[in-house]
Amino acid sequence: MTLNKKWLLSLLFVAFVSLLAACGNDEEGASDNKEKEKEEKTEQAESGEQPEAPEPDLEGVPEVVASVNGTEIKKEEFETTYKGQFQQAAMQSQMTGQELDQDQLKKQVAESLVGQELLMQEADNREFTVSEKEVNQTLEELAKQQQVGSADEFLAALEEQGMSEKEVRSQIQTQVKIDKLIAEEAGDVKPSEEEIKEAYDKMKEQQESMDTEQEVPSYEEAKPTIEQQLTRQKEGQATQKLVDSLREDAEVTVNL
């Protein structure tokens, strides 16, 4: 795994974007996974060259991409985040055959960075506290997620690329504050049995209508995944609602 100074920020940002995307894209995700599997099988069967992947177009990106209540979102942060999002979008574009609109993607990334900054500022305003135990727990989760062994190995890998432990812990602390802010705004997001059953029936109906040999999992098997998806949807909706509310009262300038 290649790490760089802005890697952790980008990783945490991707988690934030995923949360917002959960507002309505989970059903699409299941379909996308099937398409991806289909595409991979096709590529394996063919001996010819794969289509050339597009390159991120970062020409003309201003030094200050946006300003949020006087806090600047710099070009470096935008470019690091954009490259990560571009890779995902390019893969999806190749699978669907639809041309990737980089101008639109740049605007989406800029808007998401603005949303993230608004949440960071609001979390600071509400004076959430984060314990060392919470930071350590998040470090361990990130290390496990990225398959780099222990939290110490994770920190060492980041330090080799010029990111100090203090800097890493500071960014994680900010992210935990945002998580607490979202939890406070979202309230009880645990889906009811009825909501889970309804989502399962919809998923089952979709799978059965598709030309696939894949067996539909039982309700009990699928329940934990569906429950997690519905929870993320509700958190995502609460997050977007809060970002929209904060933006109404904020001074925001986007220079893209």
Side-chain angles (χ1 to χ4, degrees):
M1 180 181 64
T2 303
L3 301 176
N4 58 52
K5 195 171 176 65
K6 286 285 185 179
W7 175 83
L8 181 64
L9 181 66
S10 182
L11 175 67
L12 295 175
F13 173 79
V14 169
F16 167 71
V17 171
S18 299
L19 181 63
L20 293 184
C23 287
N25 290 344
D26 283 306
E27 288 175 13
E28 292 175 17
S31 174
D32 286 346
N33 285 339
K34 286 187 176 59
E35 285 183 37
K36 188 177 178 183
E37 287 170 14
K38 219 172 172 183
E39 183 76 13
E40 284 172 353
K41 286 176 185 174
T42 304
E43 286 175 359
Q44 288 168 3
E46 294 175 355
S47 57
E49 291 182 6
Q50 292 186 21
E52 190 178 339
E55 292 291 324
D57 175 19
L58 292 165
E59 192 177 339
V61 174
E63 287 301 319
V64 177
V65 172
S67 173
V68 183
N69 294 323
T71 299
E72 293 179 341
I73 297 171
K74 299 288 183 70
K75 179 180 180 178
E76 182 190 4
E77 182 182 344
F78 173 83
E79 288 188 347
T80 302
T81 308
Y82 181 77
K83 285 173 185 174
Q85 293 299 299
F86 174 82
Q87 285 178 347
Q88 294 182 28
M91 281 174 59
Q92 189 174 356
S93 173
Q94 283 185 304
M95 285 191 292
T96 60
Q98 292 181 333
E99 190 176 346
L100 174 59
D101 186 341
Q102 292 208 47
D103 288 336
Q104 184 183 16
L105 183 62
K106 284 176 194 171
K107 286 173 183 171
Q108 287 173 350
V109 170
E111 286 297 328
S112 294
L113 282 168
V114 166
Q116 186 188 39
E117 180 59 38
L118 285 167
L119 291 174
M120 286 165 64
Q121 292 178 10
E122 182 64 14
D124 284 337
N125 289 342
R126 296 197 195 183
E127 299 181 342
F128 287 106
T129 57
V130 179
S131 68
E132 190 175 346
K133 184 181 177 183
E134 288 173 311
V135 172
N136 288 337
Q137 187 179 345
T138 306
L139 262 174
E140 286 168 12
E141 287 170 2
L142 285 169
K144 186 178 178 182
Q145 182 186 334
Q146 298 303 311
Q147 299 179 331
V148 292
S150 67
D152 287 340
E153 288 173 305
F154 181 67
L155 285 168
L158 285 167
E159 194 163 4
E160 278 178 18
Q161 301 298 323
M163 197 168 186
S164 69
E165 181 175 343
K166 185 179 178 182
E167 197 175 352
V168 174
R169 287 182 175 277
S170 174
Q171 288 193 12
I172 288 177
Q173 194 174 43
T174 298
Q175 185 59 40
V176 175
K177 282 183 184 179
I178 291 175
D179 291 343
K180 289 186 176 187
L181 171 65
I182 291 168
E184 185 175 274
E185 285 295 314
D188 182 13
V189 292
K190 185 175 173 63
S192 66
E193 191 74 26
E194 187 180 348
E195 288 173 318
I196 298 170
K197 187 73 169 64
E198 187 181 337
Y200 172 77
D201 290 340
K202 194 180 289 185
M203 180 204 76
K204 187 178 178 183
E205 188 181 330
Q206 284 180 335
Q207 268 193 284
E208 287 175 344
S209 67
M210 293 173 70
D211 184 21
T212 175
E213 295 176 5
Q214 189 176 349
E215 192 177 335
V216 179
S218 69
Y219 175 67
E220 289 305 319
E221 286 174 326
K223 184 178 176 180
T225 303
I226 293 172
E227 188 171 3
Q228 187 179 43
Q229 288 176 341
L230 291 175
T231 300
R232 286 177 65 240
Q233 280 183 19
K234 290 184 178 186
E235 287 174 344
Q237 288 162 356
T239 303
Q240 190 60 62
K241 186 179 177 182
L242 176 58
V243 168
D244 291 343
S245 172
L246 292 171
R247 181 150 187 171
E248 283 179 17
D249 301 322
E251 290 183 17
V252 176
T253 305
V254 179
N255 300 320
L256 278 180

